[in-house]
Structure formats: C-alpha cells, structure tokens
Amino acid sequence: LVPGDINNRADIFVYDRDTDTITREVLFDDGDPYYMNGNNGELTVSGDGQHIVYVRFDENTFLTNIFLFDRESDTTEQIDVSSDEVSGDDSASFPAVSEDSRYIVFQSNATNLTADVVGGSGAVFLRDRTLGTTELIGDEYITGNGYVSADGPVVVSSDGRYVFYSASDEGGDNLRLYRYDRVENIELLITEGV
C-alpha cells in the first residue's frame, strides 16, 4: 500500500478520500512482541480522523490491550488503564470513541480498572481522557448481581453521555440491549431476549 512496507506485519493505514492518499500510521516492526489484533477488526477512528483507537495483542502477556494513536502529535497512549494509570490485568476489546475522542468505551475482563467491578465477566468501562479517569458502566455491574456479562461491541454517544451495550445471562442466553445514561445514572433496557 505504501513504499517500503516490508515489515511483514499487519500495520494500520489511513485512506484520505479528499487527497486520495494512503498513509501508514501505526507500524508494528518485525520482532516486536505485540501486533495488531486484526482477527476481529477491532479498530476505530475519531470523527475528525486525528485519533485511531485499536486493539493490540501482546505475545509476552497473551493479553489484548487498547491504545489510542494521535496522528498529529505522533504519540500513543494506553486506554484500558485504571484512574491511577495501572494497566488492566486481563484482556480488553471492542473500543468505541466519542466524536471528540475524549471518551472511549470498551469491554474488559480486568478486575483492577475500578474498585466496584465484579470482575471476570467482560464488563463495560469508559475512559475519560480529559480527566484521566476510568469508570464502570451499567447498574447491573455496579450492584454486583454478577449474572450479566457484556457480549459484543459497545457504542458511545458523541458527547459521552450515553453508552449502548449488549449483555446476556451467565450461560450466554437471553441477549439484551441496554442504554446507560451517565448523567442521570440510569440504565435502560431497550430490548429483551433477542
């Protein structure tokens, strides 16, 4: 796609429709212990195209983590971290980014991202990049009922107020779609038993 692309890795490219150009934005060198987790296509971009959010697999820890790459500043930051900047102790997936890239929601099995997480059930989290905080999303996770497990992609509204996600029973049955209002702290069941 670009000249000199000989690293034998699945890198991240951006196609600019206005200029009809392709640039390589995130490079994974041959020999690195990590690479793009491309099997599930877990990659998203901000509304203005400045930020790329992607899932990376680490061959040393065998975990997947979420990172944000800033195309203007050429910097990378990890997203699945606690408010104290501690990396999640289990894999994360399915990132979604708000319009201005302030809020990023994702699913994770980590038990150390917030103090109120039940753990081990694929909970949904929100990272506020401006405040540097991470919060658990959804009443059923916070109250600790324990039977709900996030199941699939999540979506965040452009202003970060609403988070949409699906969840199912412990056995994977009775899939439901929820909308969580972060301002009113209300979880709304949208569909039942899909």
Side-chain angles (χ1 to χ4, degrees):
L1 293 176
V2 297
D5 184 17
I6 56 173
N7 64 336
N8 297 315
R9 290 276 182 159
D11 302 316
I12 298 176
F13 299 82
V14 171
Y15 172 65
D16 189 321
R17 295 187 301 169
D18 291 336
T19 62
D20 192 32
T21 57
I22 297 176
T23 56
R24 182 170 55 180
E25 300 294 340
V26 180
L27 172 67
F28 297 94
D29 290 327
D30 190 24
D32 281 347
Y34 43 78
Y35 54 87
M36 172 72 180
N37 188 41
N39 294 332
N40 297 320
E42 297 180 271
L43 174 71
T44 186
V45 63
S46 60
D48 60 2
Q50 179 179 343
H51 299 107
I52 300 171
V53 182
Y54 61 96
V55 177
R56 189 182 78 181
F57 177 77
D58 191 318
E59 293 177 337
N60 291 326
T61 63
F62 295 99
L63 298 179
T64 55
N65 300 104
I66 296 173
F67 289 85
L68 178 143
F69 176 71
D70 189 321
R71 298 177 62 210
E72 289 189 4
S73 64
D74 195 30
T75 57
T76 302
E77 64 181 274
Q78 186 173 346
I79 298 301
D80 60 320
V81 295
S82 69
S83 297
D84 297 326
E85 303 293 331
V86 177
S87 179
D89 59 10
D90 209 332
S91 288
S93 57
F94 298 116
V97 59
S98 64
E99 186 73 16
D100 61 359
S101 302
R102 173 176 176 174
Y103 304 104
I104 299 175
V105 293
F106 59 92
Q107 177 181 327
S108 178
N109 294 326
T111 61
N112 65 335
L113 294 180
T114 62
D116 51 1
V117 66
V118 175
S121 61
V124 176
F125 298 89
L126 180 140
R127 178 70 177 172
D128 185 329
R129 297 180 56 241
T130 299
L131 298 180
T133 57
T134 301
E135 65 184 81
L136 183 65
I137 297 296
D139 288 341
E140 298 192 88
Y141 298 109
I142 295 173
T143 56
N145 291 339
Y147 68 92
V148 172
S149 174
D151 187 13
V154 292
V155 177
V156 61
S157 62
S158 59
D159 60 359
R161 175 173 179 173
Y162 299 106
V163 178
F164 297 84
Y165 58 92
S166 59
S168 59
D169 293 333
E170 188 173 353
D173 300 323
N174 195 25
L175 186 66
R176 300 175 294 277
L177 178 64
Y178 292 92
R179 186 198 74 182
Y180 181 68
D181 185 333
R182 298 178 55 240
V183 175
E184 300 293 336
N185 192 30
I186 297 175
E187 182 181 67
L188 174 66
L189 176 63
I190 299 176
T191 61
E192 174 69 47
V194 177

